[in-house]
């Protein structure tokens, strides 16, 4: 009889539903918000591309464990320690920027206000035509220019180091930016 009672008790323990308190719900909401903003931060930086590569390696590791590729698993286990240090070094600029944002006064307000409202616009035909005209004009006079257009890989890291020009993109503006024969006035 005691065995049956233990068996029923064990079976009923599987269906045990714990009490959910308000603090549990608050904790779930806080963790969900943190995970959302961490993933959003990853997508806005070059870290997202690296993160996808890490996920591929983890998937490869899981498959190796399942198929019992012992040598590959041994190599992956021994490189994980070095890999953790490498991750810290690779993601150092992103970690630093994230910690700087935590220290800013506007951190809480940035959680609710999107920074990329104007950045989500696609390049229209007029802008593409202006870029094309500028490239052809600079090619005629052999002026080199590096023009990068943001697509899937975010360029926010480079954007922050540059100078913001609040202007309409025109071929003349681009030609003037890349003009190499400009001389500063002689101080007299």
């Amino acid at each position: 009889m005691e065995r049956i009672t233990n068996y029923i008790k064990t079976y009923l323990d599987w269906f045990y539903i714990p009490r959910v308190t308000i603090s549990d719900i608050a904790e779930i909401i806080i963790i969900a918000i943190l995970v959302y903003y961490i993933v959003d931060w990853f997508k806005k930086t070059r870290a997202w591309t690296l993160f996808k590569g890490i996920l591929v390696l983890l998937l490869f590791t899981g498959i190796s464990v399942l198929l019992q590729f012992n040598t590959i698993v041994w190599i992956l286990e021994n490189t994980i320690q070095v890999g953790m240090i490498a991750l810290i070094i690779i993601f150092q600029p992103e970690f630093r920027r994230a910690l700087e944002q935590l220290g800013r006064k506007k951190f809480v307000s940035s959680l609710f206000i999107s920074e990329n409202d104007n950045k989500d616009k696609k390049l229209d035909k007029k802008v593409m035509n202006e870029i094309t005209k500028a490239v052809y004009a600079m090619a005629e006079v052999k002026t080199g220019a590096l023009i990068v257009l943001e697509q899937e890989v975010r360029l926010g890291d480079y954007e922050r180091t540059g100078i913001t020009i609040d202007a309409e993109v025109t071929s003349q503006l681009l030609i003037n930016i890349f003009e190499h024969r400009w001389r500063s006035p002689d101080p007299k």
Side-chain angles (χ1 to χ4, degrees):
M1 186 69 169
E2 189 174 316
R3 276 188 175 172
I4 296 174
T5 308
N6 286 338
Y7 180 75
I8 292 173
K9 185 176 181 182
T10 305
Y11 183 73
L12 289 177
D13 283 344
W14 290 348
F15 296 106
Y16 173 72
I17 299 173
R19 274 189 45 204
V20 178
T21 62
I22 293 175
S23 64
D24 295 331
I25 294 171
E27 192 173 13
I28 291 169
I29 291 171
I30 290 169
I31 290 171
I33 290 171
L34 285 174
V35 168
Y36 170 79
Y37 281 106
I38 288 171
V39 170
D40 187 47
W41 171 72
F42 265 107
K43 284 185 175 184
K44 290 179 183 175
T45 63
R46 291 173 291 163
W48 183 246
T49 308
L50 295 171
F51 185 68
K52 289 190 288 188
I54 291 169
L55 288 178
V56 169
L57 284 175
L58 290 175
L59 179 68
F60 180 70
T61 304
I63 292 171
S64 298
V65 168
L66 286 174
L67 298 176
Q68 297 179 354
F69 294 153
N70 296 329
T71 307
I72 294 173
V73 171
W74 179 82
I75 291 170
L76 291 171
E77 284 176 353
N78 288 321
T79 57
I80 284 178
Q81 295 172 349
V82 175
M84 291 298 186
I85 295 170
L87 282 177
I88 292 170
I89 293 170
I90 290 170
F91 291 127
Q92 184 270 334
E94 283 82 7
F95 288 139
R96 187 172 144 236
R97 192 169 310 104
L99 290 174
E100 286 174 356
Q101 288 176 354
L102 282 174
R104 290 187 186 147
K105 294 179 184 176
K106 298 179 182 178
F107 175 72
V108 176
S109 64
S110 70
L111 293 177
F112 302 106
I113 300 171
S114 176
E115 297 174 3
N116 291 333
D117 288 339
N118 296 331
K119 292 182 183 180
D120 290 336
K121 297 178 183 174
K122 297 285 183 189
L123 291 174
D124 59 353
K125 284 186 178 185
K126 182 178 183 281
V127 171
M128 290 303 294
N129 287 335
E130 292 295 323
I131 293 172
T132 305
K133 277 195 267 182
V135 168
Y136 277 111
M138 288 186 284
E140 286 179 14
V141 294
K142 297 184 179 179
T143 299
L146 179 62
I147 299 174
V148 181
L149 303 175
E150 182 178 83
Q151 291 184 352
E152 289 182 22
V153 177
R154 303 286 183 168
L155 302 174
D157 296 338
Y158 302 108
E159 185 179 317
R160 285 192 254 323
T161 62
I163 299 170
T164 303
I165 300 174
D166 188 21
E168 182 180 340
V169 176
T170 64
S171 60
Q172 192 59 46
L173 175 66
L174 292 172
I175 291 168
N176 287 338
I177 289 172
F178 293 106
E179 177 60 46
H180 67 281
R181 288 179 272 168
W182 182 81
R183 294 185 190 146
S184 62
D186 293 329
K188 290 186 182 183

